[in-house]
Amino acid sequence: MRHGGGGSVWLRRGLALTALTVVLAGVGAAVGLPLLRDRSQHRLEQRAEREVTATAQLARARLLADPAAGEARLRQAADAVDGVEVLTVGSDGPRTVRLLLRVQVTKTAASVFGWQQADSAACFALAVSPDATPPALERLPCPG
């Protein structure tokens, strides 16, 4: 013989299971969302760093378009590239011009966490001469 209240046991179990599910979802969100936000920020910083290198390569290509140009024209060619600042220009031999460039990039992106921003900067040295060998970019610490 069955006594009353059998339905209330199922109701209590259902409510307890629902409460447990809500608590677990809340804990998962509290732990997971910051990890996802950090990962998203890290990816944005990596993209900014890659763009710094790409911008430096673009400046190098513009400088090598006319390697026999003088210091003033080489400075103008590097300054014309967005994000590039020429720190120093000097002669490094009779026909070689040495440039120190600072490349700065700011990347922004919309995500489910709102707007995220990453700034990246690096300095590069480049010796441009009319010789046949294209010079390599040398990454240096930026002067303080």
Side-chain angles (χ1 to χ4, degrees), residues 111-124:
S111 72
V112 295
F113 310 107
W115 283 99
Q116 292 180 306
Q117 180 174 327
D119 298 312
S120 185
C123 290
F124 298 89

Side-chain angles (χ1 to χ4, degrees), residues 54-69 73-82 84 99 101 126 128:
T55 301
Q57 291 292 343
L58 176 62
R60 176 183 177 269
R62 297 242 176 114
L63 292 169
L64 294 179
D66 188 11
R73 286 191 56 206
L74 290 174
R75 177 186 282 274
Q76 289 173 345
D79 276 336
V81 178
D82 273 348
V84 174
L99 295 103
L101 311 172
L126 179 68
V128 180

Side-chain angles (χ1 to χ4, degrees), residues 65-121:
D66 188 11
E71 290 180 19
R73 286 191 56 206
L74 290 174
R75 177 186 282 274
Q76 289 173 345
D79 276 336
V81 178
D82 273 348
V84 174
E85 174 188 1
V86 178
L87 299 177
T88 61
V89 177
S91 294
D92 194 25
R95 298 175 44 197
T96 303
V97 177
R98 187 161 176 83
L99 295 103
L100 180 61
L101 311 172
R102 176 181 290 142
V103 180
Q104 296 179 330
V105 171
T106 299
K107 297 289 289 180
T108 58
S111 72
V112 295
F113 310 107
W115 283 99
Q116 292 180 306
Q117 180 174 327
D119 298 312
S120 185

